[in-house]
Amino acid sequence: VMSDAENKFMLQTEADGKFEERGLRDYFSYRDLGMLEATGGRVMAQINRARGAVTEEGGKHHHVVDFQMNYVLKGWAKMNFEGIGEVLMEAGTSMHMPPGIKHTFVACSEDFETLEICLPGDFPTVEDDG
């Protein structure tokens, strides 16, 4: 159970939200939804927005998380998951990524946006190429 000091009320309107060109991948801009601060670091929630169409496959990697999910808001993306293969995600698609699953971002449309939620909020990414 989290203490009151770790649980804060948070409200962010669309007008309040700012997309920043920071984060794990340079082909995305990220809008932090304020959950890290609101939950004392337990939860990360952000909108990932493509900075343009992605046509070159990225590197294989995995995230050290207990929980990771994505919900596609706009556009489409293709990802390749170890043991599963290539997956197409279009607007309205939800996806749970089991902890540690190795994956590669393959491509996306220029209008691609996804809501991403991870626990814990601050987690390492491990590059698996090599």
Side-chain angles (χ1 to χ4, degrees):
V1 176
M2 291 174 39
S3 72
D4 287 341
E6 295 173 314
N7 257 334
K8 299 176 185 173
F9 179 81
M10 200 288 307
L11 177 71
Q12 183 186 102
T13 68
E14 186 172 4
D16 295 333
K18 305 286 186 256
F19 281 91
E20 298 177 2
E21 294 179 4
R22 57 106 188 116
L24 186 60
R25 305 290 172 211
D26 62 4
Y27 43 81
F28 285 139
S29 293
Y30 300 88
R31 176 182 163 194
D32 176 19
L33 298 177
M35 296 303 131
L36 275 171
E37 182 179 349
T39 64
R42 281 189 57 228
V43 178
M44 182 278 293
Q46 66 186 14
I47 306 292
N48 306 327
R49 175 188 281 172
R51 294 176 55 197
V54 174
T55 58
E56 290 189 28
E57 187 171 303
K60 187 186 293 185
H61 62 280
H62 71 274
H63 309 289
V64 182
V65 294
D66 295 325
F67 173 82
Q68 182 176 12
M69 67 89 52
N70 283 269
Y71 179 81
V72 180
L73 301 167
K74 295 180 187 176
W76 60 267
K78 290 181 184 177
M79 295 180 69
N80 195 316
F81 293 93
E82 190 168 80
I84 295 169
E86 192 169 278
V87 172
L88 173 65
M89 301 178 302
E90 299 174 294
T93 301
S94 64
M95 174 184 61
H96 170 255
M97 294 171 55
I101 190 169
K102 294 179 182 180
H103 57 281
T104 304
F105 194 85
V106 176
C108 73
S109 61
E110 66 183 25
D111 64 342
F112 178 68
E113 282 189 20
T114 185
L115 166 65
E116 180 176 30
I117 300 172
C118 297
L119 289 93
D122 187 19
F123 57 89
T125 295
V126 178
E127 301 297 330
D128 291 313
D129 287 337

